[in-house]
Amino acid sequence: MATISKPKTLRFKTTFFISFFLCVFSAFGQRTLSGKTIDQFLESAIGITIFDKDTIKIGQSDLNGYFKIKLPKETDKLIFAGVGYEWATISVPKECENLEIILFLASTYDFMSPRKVDRLRKKEFEKLTELHSQAFQKGIFKTEKPCVIRKFELDFPNLDEIRRQDKLRKKQIKTKFNELKIGDIIKVPYNVIQRHNGTDITTLNPYSYTYDGENFDCIIKGVITKKNKRKGGYNLVYRVIDYPDCNYDNMVINEPYYPSQKLKIGETIKFNMKYSKVLKNK
């Protein structure tokens, strides 16, 4: 009997010590944080989901806005998200154990530019320190100043780059327009929509100047007969001389701000480079 029970005892002790060391290692590998979430009106923000930097859920605030989470020691960023609230991304310093977070209710900004929206949001964000102090004075928060680090985040972080690219494109269009002369041959790409209105008409819509692709449904070759900058546009009139890629019946060109024009050799087409794409004649 002794020879049978001894291995079981050894196995039990081995399992116990392995479990003990794993628990100790796990405890040392993470830290426990607690805190409270409120809104800018100092009311409890309930049901706020807490994510780590990889957007994995690690906790949620209760009906009073309180929460308690375990965070791996190597993780120092958290995301607080809730329905009807703006998301908040924070950095948690090593000495910070009590997280007191103010969330802004998501607002609707009608008929405003993205830049103005972010300007208004930043104005509210700059009130965070004052709001935190008010919450402390009313006994809602335990500390007068937040221990977390939080930076203002733009709703439209790529807006400036988009505007820069659009400004560059418009400059390129202006340069190309100025370089074109009456008598020059151009190629204009079109998108084909067949019989979309229940008739046998094939509609050709010009590609936007923002389109960067190289696959076009139809390319019309023409010679410039007129050009002007009226009504804020880069207007061209070209006479159709060829369209070998457009093998469709009853084709009509639909240009923005111009009446539909039937496509045939010798037809003059009005065209605005401000909105539509023009290819170099190779």
Side-chain angles (χ1 to χ4, degrees):
M1 293 294 292
T3 56
I4 297 174
S5 60
K6 190 173 182 180
K8 288 185 179 180
T9 304
L10 287 174
R11 284 199 300 271
F12 172 77
K13 289 182 178 180
T14 302
T15 303
F16 172 79
F17 281 115
I18 290 174
S19 300
F20 174 77
F21 281 117
L22 285 174
C23 290
V24 171
F25 179 78
S26 177
F28 278 107
Q30 58 183 204
R31 51 179 172 159
T32 301
L33 305 175
S34 59
K36 183 176 176 66
T37 54
I38 63 173
D39 61 27
Q40 73 262 43
F41 303 108
L42 309 186
E43 298 290 337
S44 297
I46 65 176
I48 303 300
T49 304
I50 305 164
F51 301 96
D52 65 9
K53 61 182 180 180
D54 299 316
T55 62
I56 296 173
K57 180 180 177 180
I58 58 175
Q60 190 171 32
S61 62
D62 63 19
L63 294 176
N64 295 307
Y66 291 104
F67 63 87
K68 192 171 185 179
I69 58 174
K70 291 187 180 296
L71 190 66
K73 285 198 171 182
E74 67 275 8
T75 300
D76 63 352
K77 287 191 181 298
L78 291 173
I79 299 170
F80 289 76
V83 177
Y85 295 91
E86 290 190 9
W87 287 28
T89 302
I90 66 166
S91 296
V92 186
K94 292 181 179 179
E95 65 277 7
C96 187
E97 295 181 353
N98 181 51
L99 313 183
E100 295 172 325
I101 310 298
I102 299 174
L103 297 173
F104 291 101
L105 292 168
S107 300
T108 302
Y109 301 92
D110 293 327
F111 310 109
M112 293 185 189
S113 67
R115 181 170 290 182
K116 186 174 182 180
V117 170
D118 277 336
R119 189 163 63 246
L120 293 173
R121 290 179 59 249
K122 188 174 182 181
K123 189 176 181 180
E124 292 299 307
F125 182 84
E126 289 170 348
K127 297 178 183 177
L128 272 177
T129 302
E130 179 186 348
L131 289 171
H132 194 104
S133 178
Q134 291 177 11
F136 170 73
Q137 292 169 13
K138 292 188 175 184
I140 300 171
F141 282 168
K142 297 179 180 179
T143 59
E144 189 170 6
K145 295 182 180 180
C147 68
V148 301
I149 300 170
R150 185 171 168 186
K151 296 180 180 179
F152 177 71
E153 296 180 87
L154 296 171
D155 254 1
F156 304 92
N158 298 322
L159 184 62
D160 288 339
E161 178 61 20
I162 291 171
R163 283 176 172 157
R164 190 187 73 79
Q165 291 292 338
D166 191 54
K167 188 176 181 179
L168 179 61
R169 286 178 186 271
K170 289 178 179 178
K171 186 176 180 180
Q172 291 170 340
I173 291 170
K174 182 180 179 180
T175 300
K176 184 184 289 187
F177 178 82
N178 290 334
E179 289 174 349
L180 291 173
K181 306 263 189 310
I182 292 176
D184 285 351
I185 295 175
I186 58 173
K187 291 181 178 179
V188 184
Y190 289 88
N191 172 255
V192 175
I193 303 177
Q194 289 183 279
R195 303 175 181 179
H196 71 288
N197 55 1
T199 69
D200 63 347
I201 294 175
T202 299
T203 304
L204 307 181
N205 294 310
Y207 280 85
S208 167
Y209 74 92
T210 61
Y211 181 73
D212 290 326
E214 297 181 353
N215 296 320
F216 306 107
D217 295 341
C218 171
I219 296 178
I220 300 174
K221 194 174 182 179
V223 58
I224 299 174
T225 58
K226 293 180 183 180
K227 59 176 290 193
N228 63 67
K229 294 183 181 179
R230 294 174 188 170
K231 298 180 180 179
Y234 298 108
N235 304 295
L236 295 176
V237 177
Y238 69 89
R239 186 179 72 254
V240 178
I241 58 177
D242 198 9
Y243 45 91
D245 300 323
C246 307
N247 300 313
Y248 307 95
D249 296 326
N250 200 11
M251 292 180 286
V252 172
I253 296 177
N254 180 33
E255 290 283 354
Y257 308 107
Y258 293 116
S260 297
Q261 303 155 94
K262 191 172 180 63
L263 177 60
K264 61 182 179 180
I265 300 296
E267 185 73 18
T268 55
I269 306 296
K270 294 179 180 180
F271 182 82
N272 193 337
M273 284 180 61
K274 183 176 181 180
Y275 306 104
S276 305
K277 193 174 188 69
V278 172
L279 305 175
K280 293 180 178 179
N281 181 40
K282 297 181 181 179

